[in-house]
Amino acid sequence: MKKQLSKIIKLILLTCLIFTSMITQPATADIASGAKIFEIHCAGCHENGGNIVRRGKTLKKKALKKYGMDSLEAISAIVTNGKNNMSAYKDRLTTEQIQDVSAYVLEQAEKDWR
């Protein structure tokens, strides 16, 4: 009986681990698609990771970190819902497109927009 219970518990834990991994694992972003979306929707204000509206609120790594925007989740949230002068794109872009452009921004920040 103890062996069966132990096997059941292990199976439940394994199932939970797999399920949790599936939920928290983001879908693979398409960086090339993100670059195109950025060029169409974002580059007007954020050319080369800058910001023509609010000088200090750039997409550079240092600024993203300073403002707590240095994660895929944070960037996706602001692209989706907007904030202050930043427009919301939830009605213009799909969830997948938002993930793609967010991943592109993070990648470019890591490369210092070069």
Side-chain angles (χ1 to χ4, degrees):
M1 182 74 166
K2 276 188 171 181
K3 284 186 178 182
Q4 284 181 322
L5 186 57
S6 177
K7 285 181 182 180
I8 291 171
I9 290 172
K10 286 179 184 178
L11 182 61
I12 290 170
L13 290 174
L14 181 61
T15 303
C16 289
L17 181 65
I18 291 169
F19 184 71
T20 302
S21 169
M22 288 170 46
I23 291 174
T24 59
Q25 194 86 12
T28 305
D30 183 342
I31 300 296
S33 172
K36 290 175 187 173
I37 294 163
F38 185 88
E39 192 60 38
I40 294 166
H41 294 281
C42 312
C45 292
H46 295 289
E47 186 173 10
N48 296 319
N51 187 330
I52 66 168
V53 179
R54 301 219 28 214
R55 200 171 38 197
K57 300 258 181 152
T58 70
L59 302 178
K60 308 286 181 161
K61 186 176 181 177
K62 185 177 178 181
L64 291 177
K65 189 170 187 117
K66 177 180 179 180
Y67 295 108
M69 292 290 152
D70 57 340
S71 70
L72 187 60
E73 295 80 13
I75 295 170
S76 295
I78 200 165
V79 173
T80 301
N81 301 309
K83 185 176 179 182
N84 299 327
N85 294 333
M86 170 76 186
S87 299
Y89 284 84
K90 63 184 170 196
D91 294 333
R92 293 180 253 183
L93 299 175
T94 66
T95 302
E96 184 178 326
Q97 289 172 318
I98 290 170
Q99 291 297 311
D100 291 348
V101 76
S102 300
Y104 172 76
V105 167
L106 271 181
E107 181 180 272
Q108 288 303 109
E110 288 296 324
K111 295 178 180 179
D112 201 31
W113 290 87
R114 294 184 187 154

